[in-house]
Amino acid sequence: MKMNRAWIAALLLLCSLPCFAQQSADEAAVWKLEQSYWGDVKALDLASYRELWHPNFVGWPYVSLQPVRKDHITDWITNNTAKGLHLESYSLKPGASQATENVIVVHYWVTSVWADKDHHGEPHTLRITHTWIKTGKEWQIIGGMSAPEPEVKK
């Protein structure tokens, strides 16, 4: 019985290896930048946050009635802070990524809590898509879209 468990564990490990091997070094770098993105939001480091965005960016955040350009990418952050809220916590759950030459598209869920000064806030989950482009040695977001995760009906 112990031998069967060992074989099953080894088989599961071998089956999971291709999932990790498929992610390129560039994709890993972009996923690290996604973590930096949210770290900058939490720290309210808007200057570092803006550096992640390509000058030709266009995207459609769920909070905007129409697509926005780079000059409006911090609006959603400042709108929250103007209400006395801060990003208390966040967690990312990768969905998928695809690298093609100098472009990487990432899809993920982020669950965040924007809280007041007394740390009261509710978790909300968004679906995020970012398109990153490499110019020179630097990756920047050139396109994106977000949407609230639909609530599951019970």
Side-chain angles (χ1 to χ4, degrees):
M1 188 59 110
K2 287 183 181 180
M3 185 61 116
N4 285 342
R5 287 183 185 165
W7 279 107
I8 290 171
L11 183 61
L12 289 172
L13 177 64
L14 288 174
C15 290
S16 67
L17 288 178
C19 296
F20 296 109
Q22 290 176 353
Q23 188 178 70
S24 69
D26 283 339
E27 285 174 282
V30 164
W31 282 115
K32 187 175 178 182
L33 288 168
E34 288 289 352
Q35 288 288 343
S36 295
Y37 167 111
W38 287 98
D40 291 343
V41 173
K42 187 172 183 184
L44 295 176
D45 185 351
L46 300 185
S48 294
Y49 179 82
R50 282 187 193 97
E51 289 177 15
L52 295 171
W53 303 83
H54 191 276
N56 295 333
F57 168 81
V58 65
W60 205 335
Y62 85 99
V63 295
S64 298
L65 296 175
Q66 58 192 15
V68 299
R69 304 241 175 228
K70 184 175 179 174
D71 59 339
H72 289 281
I73 55 137
T74 60
D75 290 358
W76 69 280
I77 300 168
T78 56
N79 288 343
N80 278 317
T81 58
K83 296 176 202 170
L85 302 175
H86 66 278
L87 182 59
E88 178 93 4
S89 65
Y90 66 91
S91 64
L92 305 184
K93 179 182 168 189
S97 62
Q98 180 64 51
T100 304
E101 297 177 13
N102 69 330
V103 173
I104 295 177
V105 178
V106 296
H107 302 282
Y108 64 94
W109 294 268
V110 61
T111 300
S112 61
V113 176
W114 284 85
D116 61 21
K117 63 180 173 56
D118 296 321
H119 307 285
H120 297 123
E122 294 295 321
H124 295 281
T125 301
L126 298 174
R127 289 183 265 175
I128 307 282
T129 296
H130 282 150
T131 301
W132 293 79
I133 188 167
K134 190 172 192 177
T135 53
K137 294 182 179 184
E138 182 172 79
W139 287 99
Q140 289 183 304
I141 302 168
I142 195 159
M145 193 163 191
S146 64
E149 180 72 0
E151 291 188 29
V152 178
K153 296 180 181 178
K154 296 180 181 182

